[in-house]
Amino acid sequence: MTNKLVNTIQQFKLFKHCSGSFHQSLASQARILDLQKGKLLFIHESEAERFYIILNGWVKLFRETLDGAQAIIDILPANHIFGETAIFQDNKHSYSAEIVEQANIISLPLDLLKSEIESNPKLAISMMSSMAQCRRHQSQELENRTFKNAPQRIGCFLLRLIDPDQSGSVSIHLPYDKTLVASRLGMQPETFSRALNQLKKQINMNVNGSTLKINNVTDLINYTCSSCSSEFPCHELRS
Amino acid sequence: MTNKLVNTIQQFKLFKHCSGSFHQSLASQARILDLQKGKLLFIHESEAERFYIILNGWVKLFRETLDGAQAIIDILPANHIFGETAIFQDNKHSYSAEIVEQANIISLPLDLLKSEIESNPKLAISMMSSMAQCRRHQSQELENRTFKNAPQRIGCFLLRLIDPDQSGSVSIHLPYDKTLVASRLGMQPETFSRALNQLKKQINMNVNGSTLKINNVTDLINYTCSSCSSEFPCHELRS
DNA sequence: CGAGGGTTTGAAGTGCATCAAATAGTGTGG
DNA sequence: CCACACTATTTGATGCACTTCAAACCCTCG
């Protein structure tokens, strides 16, 4: 049991350069969580004691504005780590986290991570690389918001769900509610619905509920990525 | 001369926990640049050998999209550091940098910073804190784009130019061209002009060219920050 | 079957972009 | 110091993308 966990933990790029003993002490203090849709993991500004690794499922990170709207920071899939940045923010979470699709999550103590970062430069470097990547991702997101219209943003979202070296015809299943995809992309559900229809017409795509079939990925790329500052596969897999 | 430089360098929060000898070797390899508006410091994807500290003036960080538009990452004032993240991106710059207002800039070798980060955990931690702060800043920027209209985004921009504990009546001079402010805020120059007029009517403000006089900062805060996820002074000073 | 969420569709409104043109402001050479 | 050229900014008119509100539809699940 714990062995399997150590194994899982050491596979993460972030922990690649850490000692076995660190992996073990992480594992020994790990909790495995099985969480249902809707579960709030922690809230913005709360005291942070643990960070999390997603084994599967989807987790929404968000904040709430004074007038009640939700600002979605990101919606993370398996193999992503979150909550760890509280280390640099006074041990306060800078967002809330909610399960949006049933998830298995490992929770680990922050203090262990913190002390290791302070003593292991290689881990520190890994950590910085992952933060740098996150930053690039964020600035791309802002760029998308500035230059892409609704159908293109949806296209970009879909491309991220596709294995980058896939080509030709692909079938995609939306990983969570359309309403949520919409707000992740900064648009209204109605707009999402209409924009998806436009996209369907622009490129050759079939829509069946949450299942989309794209007959030619290249068409999607051409349609979507023309207003980007980087060429297609512009997204890297974090982990 | 070099002493003064060492002094300047050691005052940066980022280098606070570094040894005097590190400050000195930085200073010994420093170049002081006096750059005019329009000067391109480096371009996206180019090989990165140095990073930069702004002593005064303004620097625009941006990328260009395939169809020629500029995506502005940020426009930085004095005391900001940039170009340093290339360390984590294969020594390639992930944006271009251009002077937008006459600037004095210190250029420093990246390899020195890199090796120090690898051997000095305290510097690593400072670096991560600054990256974390940048991330928060970016996600706030995205939030602004999502929830605020044009006049509110201008308001938010203005508030960042004001000393946080100032209240009552304040006079502001726009630090660079209105056209540039507009694209920094993700809007057209025409929209900026009209939105500034709206803002002028909403709160009590006088506009005279690039000089604005806000008669009551509280009014501006109320108008601007109602759709934010954090209370007013939401911006921290980096350095 | 009926309740309730998620999703789609329609109609109308709004904010911003775009295009075109006027105006203000700045720096230049005479 | 003025006239000119050039850029930055403003203003007006129009169009489009997205939002909003309302209602229908669809699907799932008790």
Side-chain angles (χ1 to χ4, degrees):
Chain A
M1 176 56 203
T2 305
N3 268 334
K4 204 174 133 201
L5 196 54
V6 172
N7 220 312
T8 307
I9 289 173
Q10 73 193 176
Q11 273 164 11
F12 277 83
K13 206 164 78 188
L14 185 60
F15 300 131
K16 201 170 56 184
H17 298 293
C18 294
S19 66
S21 69
F22 176 63
H23 294 144
Q24 297 217 335
S25 52
L26 272 183
S28 73
Q29 294 197 52
R31 293 179 204 150
I32 311 257
L33 312 173
D34 181 352
L35 303 165
Q36 297 309 306
K37 191 167 166 170
K39 169 80 185 170
L40 254 176
L41 212 46
F42 54 77
I43 65 166
H44 183 201
E45 310 271 65
S46 64
E47 194 67 29
E49 281 164 10
R50 310 204 126 229
F51 70 102
Y52 305 86
I53 298 179
I54 309 176
L55 295 176
N56 56 61
W58 291 82
V59 179
K60 172 175 76 175
L61 310 183
F62 66 102
R63 280 197 295 255
E64 258 156 25
T65 64
L66 295 179
D67 45 22
Q70 271 193 5
I72 294 189
I73 314 279
D74 209 347
I75 298 180
L76 302 176
N79 296 323
H80 281 243
I81 294 177
F82 64 96
E84 85 286 8
T85 38
I87 290 179
F88 313 107
Q89 346 231 341
D90 251 353
N91 282 311
K92 297 273 188 299
H93 285 297
S94 53
Y95 42 73
S96 309
E98 180 188 326
I99 309 300
V100 291
E101 288 299 325
Q102 189 279 330
N104 292 101
I105 287 182
I106 307 180
S107 128
L108 296 162
L110 266 179
D111 53 3
L112 225 57
L113 179 67
K114 186 168 187 182
S115 59
E116 182 74 6
I117 284 178
E118 281 163 356
S119 60
N120 179 349
K122 287 187 172 172
L123 174 60
I125 296 280
S126 301
M127 189 80 185
M128 283 184 254
S129 302
S130 113
M131 290 173 83
Q133 204 169 324
C134 176
R135 252 170 51 161
R136 261 174 303 164
H137 179 247
Q138 281 185 303
S139 67
Q140 208 196 7
E141 212 60 48
L142 192 62
E143 190 183 306
N144 283 346
R145 223 49 93 76
T146 310
F147 294 120
K148 289 197 174 111
N149 61 20
Q152 285 176 322
R153 292 213 295 279
I154 296 178
C156 187
F157 178 81
L158 297 180
L159 285 171
R160 284 168 192 278
L161 296 173
I162 300 176
D163 180 4
D165 30 58
Q166 193 114 20
S167 66
S169 157
V170 190
S171 189
I172 300 178
H173 189 83
L174 295 179
Y176 38 83
D177 292 351
K178 287 182 176 178
T179 307
L180 191 54
V181 179
S183 70
R184 158 70 235 274
L185 298 175
M187 61 185 82
Q188 299 309 116
E190 296 93 330
T191 305
F192 178 84
S193 174
R194 291 185 247 256
L196 190 61
N197 271 314
Q198 278 182 257
L199 187 62
K200 190 170 89 182
K201 275 172 218 151
Q202 290 294 325
I203 66 167
N204 193 348
M205 182 172 76
N206 304 320
V207 179
N208 188 342
S210 288
T211 306
L212 316 180
K213 184 157 176 297
I214 293 153
N215 295 300
N216 188 349
V217 175
T218 313
D219 288 347
L220 179 56
I221 294 172
N222 288 338
Y223 178 75
T224 301
C225 304
S226 63
S227 49
C228 279
S229 66
S230 35
E231 304 260 331
F232 176 63
C234 54
H235 53 296
E236 307 114 84
L237 307 166
R238 297 179 262 174
S239 68
Chain B
M1 175 57 203
T2 305
N3 268 335
K4 204 173 134 202
L5 196 53
V6 171
N7 221 311
T8 308
I9 288 174
Q10 74 192 176
Q11 272 166 9
F12 278 84
K13 207 166 75 187
L14 185 60
F15 301 130
K16 201 172 55 185
H17 298 293
C18 294
S19 65
S21 68
F22 176 64
H23 293 144
Q24 297 218 334
S25 50
L26 272 183
S28 72
Q29 295 198 50
R31 293 179 205 151
I32 311 258
L33 312 171
D34 181 351
L35 303 165
Q36 297 309 307
K37 191 168 166 171
K39 168 80 184 170
L40 254 175
L41 212 46
F42 55 77
I43 64 165
H44 183 202
E45 311 271 68
S46 64
E47 195 67 28
E49 282 163 8
R50 310 202 128 231
F51 69 101
Y52 305 86
I53 298 179
I54 308 175
L55 294 177
N56 56 62
W58 291 82
V59 179
K60 172 176 75 175
L61 310 183
F62 66 101
R63 279 197 296 253
E64 257 155 25
T65 65
L66 295 179
D67 46 19
Q70 272 193 6
I72 294 188
I73 315 277
D74 209 346
I75 298 180
L76 303 177
N79 296 322
H80 282 243
I81 295 178
F82 65 95
E84 84 288 6
T85 38
I87 291 180
F88 313 107
Q89 347 230 341
D90 252 352
N91 282 310
K92 297 272 187 298
H93 285 298
S94 53
Y95 42 74
S96 309
E98 181 188 325
I99 309 300
V100 292
E101 287 301 325
Q102 189 279 331
N104 292 101
I105 288 182
I106 306 180
S107 130
L108 296 162
L110 265 179
D111 53 3
L112 225 58
L113 179 65
K114 187 171 187 181
S115 60
E116 182 75 5
I117 283 178
E118 282 162 355
S119 60
N120 179 350
K122 286 189 172 169
L123 174 59
I125 296 280
S126 301
M127 188 81 186
M128 284 184 256
S129 301
S130 114
M131 290 173 82
Q133 204 168 327
C134 176
R135 253 170 51 162
R136 259 173 305 164
H137 180 247
Q138 281 185 302
S139 67
Q140 207 197 8
E141 212 59 48
L142 191 62
E143 191 183 305
N144 282 347
R145 222 52 91 77
T146 310
F147 294 121
K148 290 198 174 108
N149 61 20
Q152 284 175 323
R153 291 213 294 282
I154 296 178
C156 187
F157 178 82
L158 297 179
L159 284 172
R160 284 168 192 279
L161 296 173
I162 301 175
D163 180 4
D165 31 57
Q166 192 113 23
S167 66
S169 157
V170 190
S171 188
I172 300 178
H173 189 82
L174 295 179
Y176 39 82
D177 292 350
K178 287 182 177 177
T179 308
L180 192 55
V181 179
S183 69
R184 158 69 235 274
L185 298 176
M187 63 185 81
Q188 298 309 116
E190 295 94 330
T191 304
F192 179 83
S193 173
R194 290 186 247 258
L196 190 61
N197 270 312
Q198 278 182 257
L199 187 61
K200 190 171 88 181
K201 275 172 219 149
Q202 290 294 327
I203 66 168
N204 193 349
M205 182 171 76
N206 305 320
V207 179
N208 187 342
S210 288
T211 306
L212 316 179
K213 182 155 179 296
I214 293 153
N215 294 301
N216 187 348
V217 176
T218 313
D219 288 347
L220 179 57
I221 295 173
N222 288 336
Y223 178 75
T224 300
C225 304
S226 62
S227 47
C228 278
S229 65
S230 35
E231 304 260 332
F232 175 61
C234 54
H235 53 298
E236 306 114 83
L237 306 166
R238 298 179 261 175
S239 67

